[in-house]
Amino acid sequence: FTISSSNSNVVSVANNKIKAQSEGTATIKVVAKDNSLLEDMITVSVKSSPSKLQPPTGLQYSVSTQTISFSMSNNASAYVLSVNGVEINLGNSNSISLDRINEVVSNAFDTLLTIKVKAKAPTYTKAFVDSDFSSEFELFQVSPVKNVRVENGILNFDEKSTPGETYSYDIFLD
């Protein structure tokens, strides 16, 4: 038998093997050598594989705005933030306030001391594949001091005793 392609720029044939070359459409024809009346044809479309979006980078927390933000990815049109495994759709925004996270993740900052955050760029087209998640970012919340009291005119409280951790305190008077 012989195999031929109607467009060798799209599909080439060599040593009875068919190989995709580029995007497009071609008709493959197979003809029996001993009887040219026996033949078959099939039209094939070659499409390129979709590109994988790059994950967002630069996850950071801003104390002044109380937001978590990250750098946008090329060709991404939407973002998803995972907070301790709960995914939050951010639309085309690359930031979210801690208040919004607390609303969506069942008062996360009221009950947890460590919040693990990562972001990805999902896709809604066939031209791209979702990115992987970014590197994980951990946001630590220091629990409030306990047993605050005034003794002999001196403000006292129970200090934290986490090994290897150093804390500083800002005290405000009304």
Side-chain angles (χ1 to χ4, degrees), residues 61 68 98 109 113-117 137-141:
Y61 170 68
I68 293 175
L98 294 187
F109 293 101
L113 298 180
T114 302
I115 307 297
K116 295 181 179 183
V117 179
F137 174 79
E138 289 188 345
L139 180 62
F140 299 96
Q141 176 174 280

Side-chain angles (χ1 to χ4, degrees), residues 92-109:
N92 64 358
S93 176
N94 67 326
S95 66
I96 187 170
S97 70
L98 294 187
D99 288 340
R100 179 71 181 129
I101 290 173
N102 214 25
E103 288 171 16
V104 175
V105 188
S106 302
N107 298 315
F109 293 101

Side-chain angles (χ1 to χ4, degrees), residues 143-151 154-160 169-173:
S143 61
V145 294
K146 298 189 189 296
N147 195 20
V148 178
R149 63 205 177 277
V150 176
E151 296 172 339
I154 298 173
L155 177 66
N156 290 297
F157 52 87
D158 294 345
E159 285 193 59
K160 299 192 174 303
Y169 302 96
D170 292 326
I171 300 173
F172 299 93
L173 301 175

Side-chain angles (χ1 to χ4, degrees), residues 8 26 42 51-54 65 92 107 118 134-135 137 146 152 164:
S8 60
I42 185 170
S51 299
K52 189 170 195 168
L53 292 172
Q54 291 298 310
T65 61
N92 64 358
N107 298 315
K118 54 188 176 181
S134 65
S135 298
F137 174 79
K146 298 189 189 296
N152 300 322

Side-chain angles (χ1 to χ4, degrees), residues 34-166:
D34 58 352
N35 186 348
S36 62
L37 297 176
L38 291 175
E39 67 179 40
D40 204 355
M41 290 188 290
I42 185 170
T43 300
V44 295
S45 294
V46 177
K47 297 181 180 177
S48 63
S49 298
S51 299
K52 189 170 195 168
L53 292 172
Q54 291 298 310
T57 59
L59 233 60
Q60 62 184 0
Y61 170 68
S62 168
V63 175
S64 62
T65 61
Q66 295 211 346
T67 58
I68 293 175
S69 63
F70 49 86
S71 299
M72 294 181 155
S73 302
N74 290 336
N75 300 311
S77 60
Y79 298 96
V80 169
L81 194 72
S82 172
V83 179
N84 288 357
V86 176
E87 292 188 4
I88 304 170
N89 187 342
L90 301 180
N92 64 358
S93 176
N94 67 326
S95 66
I96 187 170
S97 70
L98 294 187
D99 288 340
R100 179 71 181 129
I101 290 173
N102 214 25
E103 288 171 16
V104 175
V105 188
S106 302
N107 298 315
F109 293 101
D110 293 341
T111 57
L112 300 171
L113 298 180
T114 302
I115 307 297
K116 295 181 179 183
V117 179
K118 54 188 176 181
K120 77 174 181 177
T123 182
Y124 302 104
T125 70
K126 292 181 181 181
F128 297 100
V129 175
D130 291 2
S131 78
D132 292 328
F133 273 103
S134 65
S135 298
E136 195 167 72
F137 174 79
E138 289 188 345
L139 180 62
F140 299 96
Q141 176 174 280
V142 177
S143 61
V145 294
K146 298 189 189 296
N147 195 20
V148 178
R149 63 205 177 277
V150 176
E151 296 172 339
N152 300 322
I154 298 173
L155 177 66
N156 290 297
F157 52 87
D158 294 345
E159 285 193 59
K160 299 192 174 303
S161 60
T162 306
E165 296 291 326
T166 304

